[in-house]
Amino acid sequence: MNVEELNFAYKVRHALNENLDALPASTTGRLASARKMALSRKKTSVQVHATTIETAVAGSAGGFLNQSLSWLGRISIAAPLLAGVVLFISLYQYEQQHRISETADIDVAVLTDELPLTAYLDHGFNAYLAKRVE
């Protein structure tokens, strides 16, 4: 039964129940006998076998395992993400230290070298330093 048929059946049942006390005795007797007859003809319940199709997603453990080990599924998603974040942060820190080290090496070379002041005013020297820093 669809929703409309079910709503109609509820409305009919409600209307019949409202006027139940106003019905004559002969009508209620006939309704009672019709009900008994309908109940005697009622089919017994039949077992229904149904098959379902379950979609599989890469990384899922399957039906039973997916329900009983749902925390494992969550960890299997969170752990690689966390490892990726840690990897990117550590790579960024390494690159920053590398740049700082190179800049310090250039500063030490400039400070310990005996260059004339005109070398620092030369645009080519500044371009060389900028290229080394990058």
Side-chain angles (χ1 to χ4, degrees):
M1 291 178 73
N2 63 20
V3 176
E4 292 177 8
E5 292 173 348
L6 194 60
N7 286 336
F8 178 73
Y10 286 140
K11 288 177 184 178
V12 169
R13 183 184 71 180
H14 182 68
L16 289 174
N17 285 339
E18 282 181 352
N19 297 324
L20 184 63
D21 296 333
L23 291 176
S26 62
T27 305
T28 56
R30 284 191 314 215
L31 285 173
S33 65
R35 183 177 187 277
K36 287 179 185 175
M37 188 185 315
L39 289 175
S40 68
R41 293 180 183 171
K42 180 184 173 191
K43 294 181 181 179
T44 59
S45 62
V46 178
Q47 280 189 335
V48 177
H49 298 285
T51 58
T52 61
I53 298 173
E54 185 175 327
T55 58
V57 179
S60 69
F64 174 72
L65 292 175
N66 199 11
Q67 292 172 358
S68 65
L69 299 177
S70 62
W71 61 271
L72 184 62
R74 291 181 189 139
I75 290 175
S76 68
I77 292 173
L81 290 176
L82 184 61
V85 168
V86 169
L87 177 71
F88 285 126
I89 289 173
S90 61
L91 184 63
Y92 177 76
Q93 290 294 329
Y94 173 77
E95 288 295 325
Q96 285 295 97
Q97 290 295 334
H98 188 67
R99 283 189 194 137
I100 290 171
S101 174
E102 283 184 352
T103 305
D105 289 343
I106 291 173
D107 287 345
V108 167
V110 168
L111 291 174
T112 58
D113 198 16
E114 295 181 11
L115 288 175
L117 291 176
T118 56
Y120 296 109
L121 299 175
D122 185 22
H123 294 294
F125 183 70
N126 289 333
Y128 169 75
L129 289 178
K131 184 178 176 184
R132 289 281 310 244
V133 172
E134 293 175 1

